[in-house]
Amino acid sequence: MDAGGPAEVNEAKAAVRQRVWDALKEQRLARFPGAHGRIPNVSGAEAAAELLRGTEVWRRARTLKCNPDAAQWPVRQRALEDGKTVYMAVPRLAEEAPFFLLDPEHLADTPRKASSIKGAAASARTVAVGDLEPVDLVVTGCVAVAEDGARLGKGGGFSDLEFAVASEAGLVAPDTPVVTTVHEQQVVPVGEIPVTDHDVRLDLVVTAERVITCTRDVRHPGRIVWDDLTEEKIAAIPLLGRLRPS
């Protein structure tokens, strides 16, 4: 479920997610364990990562923040292979130090193994937000995207929270590029994805076939929208408890 916000917006988002998840399942495009309820690990993820690797924003980036989902595992692998430092969120931001730091110069395994969720436990160290360095590129996982930069995650609000926390800490600037890798089936028509104040917008969408430059408005600095967070969400994430205004 979404972290909060207007019920009608959440229902509209859920309908788009369900439609995309159903299509991925019907066309057998999602790898194990399937599409529904998650950022789907789709066929063609490796080819999309290679296309991203050829972009100018990738070549300029020395440090990036990436989601921990299997769909972006090929992106994290290639970042380490290319000598980039990777910050990867601990799943669901559930730890006191909610980010993994993967240093390509100090890995216990190959970049492929080290960039998996399991491998990060051996090759990375967990760090608090205050220990992070500013990043040059943000990679996020998506269920659905549109060419205007609108995106949908799986509904928990964790990606937007990660971005808001990093932005408030000065680690992500308004002009820091935000990109994703998806299957063509996840690209929906412009206007189908409802957008709220706390939603992160994309600069690039990369599939196995093409790179889409999004036509989004100038991004405002990210912020935590406390009124949109449930008490259950705040209680589940230690970091939010520390940041919550008194």
Side-chain angles (χ1 to χ4, degrees), residues 31-32 39 47 49 55 81 86-87 89 101 119 154 169 182 189-190 197 200 209 212 220 227 238 240:
R31 298 164 175 165
F32 179 85
I39 302 297
T55 64
E81 289 173 346
V86 176
Y87 292 116
L101 166 59
K154 58 180 178 286
V182 294
V190 171
D197 288 342
V200 175
E209 289 81 28
I212 302 168
H220 297 290
D227 289 343
L240 291 180

Coordinates of all heavy atoms in Angstrom, one line a residue, residues 31-32 39 47 49 55 81 86-87 89 101 119 154 169 182 189-190 197 200 209 212 220 227 238 240:
R31 N 10.9 -12.4 -14.5 CA 11.6 -13.5 -13.9 C 11.1 -13.9 -12.5 O 10.3 -13.1 -11.9 CB 13.1 -13.2 -13.9 CG 13.7 -12.9 -15.3 CD 15.0 -12.2 -15.2 NE 15.7 -12.1 -16.5 CZ 16.7 -11.3 -16.8 NH1 17.2 -10.6 -15.8 NH2 17.2 -11.2 -18.0
F32 N 11.6 -15.0 -12.0 CA 11.3 -15.4 -10.7 C 11.6 -14.3 -9.7 O 12.7 -13.7 -9.8 CB 12.1 -16.7 -10.3 CG 11.8 -17.2 -9.0 CD1 10.8 -18.0 -8.7 CD2 12.6 -16.9 -7.9 CE1 10.5 -18.5 -7.4 CE2 12.4 -17.3 -6.6 CZ 11.3 -18.2 -6.4
I39 N 9.1 -4.6 -7.5 CA 9.7 -4.0 -8.7 C 10.1 -5.2 -9.5 O 11.0 -6.0 -9.2 CB 11.0 -3.2 -8.3 CG1 10.6 -2.1 -7.3 CG2 11.6 -2.7 -9.6 CD1 9.7 -1.0 -7.9
A47 N 20.4 -5.9 -21.0 CA 20.6 -5.1 -22.2 C 20.3 -3.6 -21.8 O 20.9 -2.7 -22.3 CB 19.7 -5.6 -23.3
A49 N 20.7 -2.2 -18.9 CA 21.9 -1.7 -18.2 C 23.0 -1.3 -19.1 O 23.7 -0.3 -18.8 CB 22.3 -2.8 -17.2
T55 N 25.4 6.1 -21.8 CA 24.8 7.5 -21.8 C 25.9 8.4 -21.1 O 26.8 8.0 -20.4 CB 23.5 7.5 -21.0 OG1 23.8 7.2 -19.6 CG2 22.5 6.6 -21.6
E81 N 32.0 -2.5 -11.8 CA 32.9 -2.8 -12.9 C 33.6 -1.6 -13.5 O 34.8 -1.6 -13.9 CB 32.3 -3.6 -14.0 CG 31.9 -5.0 -13.6 CD 31.0 -5.7 -14.6 OE1 30.5 -5.0 -15.6 OE2 30.9 -6.9 -14.5
V86 N 29.0 2.8 -5.1 CA 27.5 2.6 -5.1 C 27.0 2.7 -3.7 O 27.5 2.0 -2.8 CB 27.2 1.2 -5.7 CG1 25.7 1.0 -5.6 CG2 27.7 1.2 -7.2
Y87 N 26.0 3.5 -3.5 CA 25.2 3.5 -2.2 C 23.9 2.8 -2.5 O 23.2 3.1 -3.5 CB 24.9 4.9 -1.7 CG 26.1 5.7 -1.3 CD1 26.5 6.9 -1.9 CD2 26.8 5.3 -0.1 CE1 27.6 7.6 -1.5 CE2 27.9 6.0 0.3 CZ 28.3 7.1 -0.4 OH 29.4 7.8 0.1
A89 N 20.4 1.3 -0.8 CA 19.5 1.3 0.4 C 19.4 -0.1 0.9 O 19.2 -1.1 0.2 CB 18.2 1.9 0.0
L101 N 27.4 0.8 1.6 CA 28.4 1.5 0.8 C 29.2 0.4 0.1 O 29.9 -0.4 0.8 CB 29.3 2.3 1.7 CG 30.6 2.8 1.1 CD1 30.4 3.7 -0.2 CD2 31.4 3.6 2.1
G119 N 25.2 -10.4 -1.5 CA 26.6 -10.2 -1.5 C 27.0 -8.9 -0.9 O 28.1 -8.7 -0.4
K154 N 6.4 0.2 -6.2 CA 5.5 -0.9 -5.9 C 4.4 -0.5 -4.8 O 3.6 -1.2 -4.5 CB 6.2 -2.1 -5.4 CG 7.1 -1.9 -4.2 CD 7.8 -3.2 -3.8 CE 8.7 -3.1 -2.6 NZ 10.0 -2.4 -3.0
A169 N 19.4 16.0 3.1 CA 20.8 16.0 3.7 C 21.8 16.6 2.7 O 23.0 16.6 3.0 CB 21.1 14.5 3.9
V182 N 13.8 -0.4 -17.3 CA 12.5 -1.1 -17.3 C 12.4 -1.8 -18.7 O 13.2 -1.7 -19.6 CB 11.3 -0.1 -17.1 CG1 11.3 0.5 -15.8 CG2 11.3 0.9 -18.2
P189 N 1.3 5.4 -21.4 CA 1.1 6.7 -22.0 C 1.2 7.9 -21.0 O 0.8 7.7 -19.8 CB -0.4 6.6 -22.6 CG -0.5 5.2 -22.8 CD 0.2 4.5 -21.7
V190 N 1.6 9.0 -21.4 CA 1.7 10.2 -20.6 C 0.3 10.5 -20.1 O -0.7 10.5 -20.8 CB 2.3 11.4 -21.4 CG1 2.2 12.7 -20.6 CG2 3.8 11.1 -21.7
D197 N 3.0 15.6 -4.8 CA 4.2 16.5 -4.5 C 5.4 15.7 -4.1 O 6.5 16.2 -4.4 CB 3.8 17.4 -3.3 CG 2.8 18.5 -3.7 OD1 2.7 18.8 -4.9 OD2 2.2 19.1 -2.8
V200 N 9.0 11.3 -7.0 CA 10.2 11.6 -7.7 C 10.0 11.5 -9.2 O 9.3 10.5 -9.7 CB 11.4 10.6 -7.3 CG1 12.6 10.8 -8.2 CG2 11.7 10.7 -5.8
E209 N 15.7 -1.5 -25.7 CA 15.6 -1.0 -27.1 C 16.0 0.5 -27.2 O 16.4 0.9 -28.3 CB 14.2 -1.2 -27.7 CG 13.9 -2.6 -28.0 CD 13.4 -3.4 -26.7 OE1 12.9 -2.7 -25.8 OE2 13.6 -4.6 -26.6
I212 N 15.0 7.0 -23.3 CA 14.0 8.0 -23.4 C 14.4 9.2 -22.5 O 14.6 9.0 -21.3 CB 12.6 7.5 -22.9 CG1 12.2 6.2 -23.7 CG2 11.6 8.6 -23.0 CD1 11.0 5.5 -23.1
H220 N 11.9 20.4 -7.9 CA 12.2 21.1 -6.7 C 12.9 20.2 -5.7 O 12.8 18.9 -5.8 CB 10.8 21.5 -6.1 CG 10.0 22.4 -6.9 ND1 10.4 23.7 -7.2 CD2 8.9 22.3 -7.7 CE1 9.6 24.3 -8.0 NE2 8.6 23.4 -8.3
D227 N 2.9 14.6 6.6 CA 1.4 14.4 6.6 C 1.0 13.2 5.8 O -0.1 12.6 6.0 CB 0.7 15.6 6.1 CG 0.8 16.8 7.1 OD1 1.1 16.5 8.3 OD2 0.5 17.9 6.8
P238 N 13.6 3.3 11.5 CA 14.3 4.0 12.6 C 14.7 5.4 12.2 O 14.6 6.3 13.0 CB 15.5 3.1 12.9 CG 15.0 1.7 12.5 CD 14.2 1.9 11.3
L240 N 13.3 7.6 10.2 CA 12.3 8.6 10.3 C 11.9 9.0 11.7 O 11.6 10.1 12.0 CB 11.0 8.0 9.6 CG 11.1 7.8 8.1 CD1 9.7 7.2 7.6 CD2 11.4 9.1 7.4

